[in-house]
């Protein structure tokens, strides 16, 4: 269905007409055809594997410093969610080119976007004011004068100048960077660390061979897709298995359950196995034309963080009750306390007691 953009179109990502019409309209997430290609092109150029490769050493250095900081301040323990949030959130905000003083304000609005993609209810109603304020907020803070010229948002304005799309498309496209790149990456990295802490044999495998770090991230995403589902609108009557679906109906794509499908993953579908050969076949990043453009950056951040932890910690283990993040569409954790057994004194910091 994700590959069939003829029958299943992106006008119906959210479950309410209000969200689809007022919040998602004009964004790359809800566009199809030539318009989607034009809008996505600038995203793809900035987020391609070749473009983000040059960030490798910077991300590895940053990951090492953050791991030292979080473990040291916690005397050998840390919150995997806080560590992941600082790694992924700050990286994305900086690459976007936004002034640092607006980072917290934008960050608190992004989770609300996913809440309003779900059903109308108390959580939806509470999130609606924040979600509808994303584009006006960006209109006020994202201008040619405030964004860094060599940033992702600077690239959007260069594309506008080059006639690739209209000025009116710049802010909705900027919102795609803000919304799609942060919460999902933070939740995915947090889940990978949590799974490794709960599976010491898998952690030992990773420490013995850090090239497994990327597969560990894929396996965590397979088991706990940060985006559990998105909608599609049926453009033409279509048959799915033994069922006919009429034009105008909406379908909900369950990325989360797809990652646990025993027809695809076998009887061990619920097991966390960083050596699973087909782990990267999950749908947490989507598929087809709307597959997440930020995959290379998300994986690079994840590899850097897991490699930094593996070089500093001989063992990870749960250190108390984790707290769920509650959201209509997102699945993950707001707090995951982890105990770390260290390889030795942290460089440039006090010895944990």
């Amino acid at each position: 269905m994700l590959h069939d953009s003829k029958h299943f179109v992106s006008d119906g990502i959210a479950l309410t007409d209000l969200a689809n019409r007022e919040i998602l309209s004009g964004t790359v997430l809800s566009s199809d055809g030539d318009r989607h290609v034009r809008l996505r092109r600038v995203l793809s150029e900035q987020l391609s594997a070749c473009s983000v490769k040059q960030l490798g050493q910077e991300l590895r250095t940053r990951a090492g410093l953050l791991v030292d900081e979080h473990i040291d301040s916690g005397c050998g323990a840390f919150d995997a969610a806080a560590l992941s949030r600082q790694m992924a959130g700050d990286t994305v905000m900086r690459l976007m080119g936004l002034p640092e003083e607006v980072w917290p304000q934008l960050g608190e609005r992004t989770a609300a976007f996913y809440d309003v993609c779900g059903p109308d209810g108390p959580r939806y109603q509470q999130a609606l004011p924040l979600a509808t304020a994303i584009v006006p907020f960006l209109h006020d803070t994202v201008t040619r004068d405030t964004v860094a010229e060599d940033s992702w948002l600077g690239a959007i304005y260069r594309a506008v100048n080059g006639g690739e799309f209209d000025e009116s498309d710049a802010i909705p496209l900027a919102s795609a960077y803000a919304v799609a790149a942060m919460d999902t990456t933070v939740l995915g990295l947090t889940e990978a660390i949590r799974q490794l802490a709960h599976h010491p044999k898998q952690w030992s495998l990773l420490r013995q061979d850090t090239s497994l770090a990327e597969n560990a991230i894929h396996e965590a995403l397979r088991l706990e897709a940060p985006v559990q589902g998105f909608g599609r609108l049926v453009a033409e009557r279509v048959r799915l298995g033994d069922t006919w679906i009429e034009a105008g109906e909406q379908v909900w794509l369950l990325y989360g359950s797809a990652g646990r499908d025993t027809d695809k993953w076998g009887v061990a579908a619920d097991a966390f196995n960083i050596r699973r050969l087909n782990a990267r076949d999950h749908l947490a990043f989507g598929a087809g034309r709307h597959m997440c453009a930020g995959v290379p950056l998300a994986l690079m951040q994840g590899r850097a963080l897991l490699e930094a932890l593996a070089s500093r910690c001989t063992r990870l283990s749960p250190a108390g009750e984790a707290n769920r993040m509650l959201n209509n569409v997102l699945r993950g954790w707001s707090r995951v306390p982890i105990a770390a057994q260290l390889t030795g004194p942290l460089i440039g910091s006090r010895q944990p007691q």
Side-chain angles (χ1 to χ4, degrees):
M1 293 168 78
L2 288 169
H3 284 278
D4 184 0
S5 57
K6 174 184 177 182
H7 294 98
F8 303 100
V9 297
S10 299
D11 289 343
I13 286 182
L15 285 176
T16 66
D17 290 338
L18 175 62
N20 286 318
R21 185 178 64 252
E22 300 295 335
I23 298 173
L24 282 156
S25 180
T27 68
V28 68
L29 293 173
S30 65
S31 63
D32 288 297
D34 292 341
R35 175 175 170 78
H36 177 75
V37 171
R38 289 197 308 274
L39 290 176
R40 186 183 169 96
R41 184 178 294 118
V42 64
L43 287 168
S44 299
E45 290 173 355
Q46 294 298 307
L47 294 168
S48 69
C50 291
S51 295
V52 302
K53 186 177 180 179
Q54 59 187 324
L55 299 172
Q57 185 55 54
E58 177 185 338
L59 291 176
R60 287 189 292 272
T61 299
R62 176 167 171 73
L65 292 172
L66 285 175
V67 167
D68 282 355
E69 175 188 329
H70 280 254
I71 292 178
D72 186 38
S73 62
C75 296
F78 66 97
D79 176 2
L83 173 61
S84 300
R85 193 176 303 116
Q86 194 169 357
M87 177 71 188
D90 290 0
T91 297
V92 168
M93 290 291 193
R94 183 180 58 78
L95 291 173
M96 284 180 66
L98 288 172
E100 192 167 345
E101 59 269 19
V102 307
W103 294 3
Q105 300 171 64
L106 182 57
E108 69 183 12
R109 288 167 166 81
T110 56
F113 166 86
Y114 291 98
D115 265 330
V116 300
C117 286
D120 188 351
R123 195 180 308 283
Y124 171 97
Q125 291 295 335
Q126 186 176 1
L128 200 55
L130 282 174
T132 54
I134 291 177
V135 170
F137 172 79
L138 288 173
H139 267 294
D140 291 338
T141 56
V142 177
T143 67
R144 296 173 185 272
D145 297 327
T146 60
V147 302
E149 186 176 349
D150 60 347
S151 67
W152 292 348
L153 301 185
I156 290 178
Y157 284 114
R158 289 196 298 274
V160 170
N161 293 341
E164 295 184 43
F165 46 80
D166 296 334
E167 182 96 22
S168 59
D169 292 322
I171 298 303
L173 185 56
S175 71
Y177 280 123
V179 168
M182 284 191 293
D183 291 289
T184 52
T185 304
V186 171
L187 295 176
L189 298 187
T190 302
E191 183 61 31
I193 298 170
R194 191 189 77 88
Q195 290 286 351
L196 289 164
H198 279 269
H199 296 87
K201 290 183 179 179
Q202 298 295 310
W203 177 247
S204 295
L205 287 175
L206 177 62
R207 292 200 71 237
Q208 293 165 18
D209 182 5
T210 55
S211 69
L212 292 170
E214 184 169 312
N215 216 51
I217 298 162
H218 282 302
E219 183 70 345
L221 291 171
R222 179 188 70 81
L223 283 170
E224 298 287 339
V227 176
Q228 287 284 292
F230 265 153
R232 290 292 189 273
L233 195 66
V234 179
E236 298 180 15
R237 188 171 188 255
V238 61
R239 183 174 179 175
L240 189 67
D242 295 329
T243 302
W244 282 98
I245 307 176
E246 300 299 326
E249 292 193 51
Q250 188 183 40
V251 295
W252 191 255
L253 309 183
L254 297 168
Y255 305 137
S257 64
R260 304 281 187 134
D261 187 351
T262 53
D263 287 345
K264 169 68 178 178
W265 308 105
V267 294
D270 291 335
F272 178 70
N273 177 12
I274 67 173
R275 284 181 169 171
R276 190 182 297 271
L277 295 179
N278 62 342
R280 64 178 58 245
D281 293 345
H282 63 84
L283 296 179
F285 289 128
R289 293 182 179 181
H290 281 272
M291 185 170 181
C292 176
V295 172
L297 178 62
L299 293 177
M300 183 175 288
Q301 291 181 91
R303 287 196 306 269
L305 198 56
L306 293 187
E307 289 168 2
L309 284 167
S311 70
R312 289 155 174 80
C313 308
T314 57
R315 182 181 175 86
L316 301 178
S317 57
E321 186 175 353
N323 298 331
R324 274 283 180 195
M325 173 191 184
L326 301 180
N327 191 278
N328 281 334
V329 171
L330 297 176
R331 179 172 173 84
W333 306 89
S334 60
R335 178 177 176 271
V336 181
I338 301 291
Q341 182 176 332
L342 306 182
T343 57
L346 296 175
I347 298 173
S349 60
R350 67 183 186 275
Q351 171 69 30
Q353 301 299 311

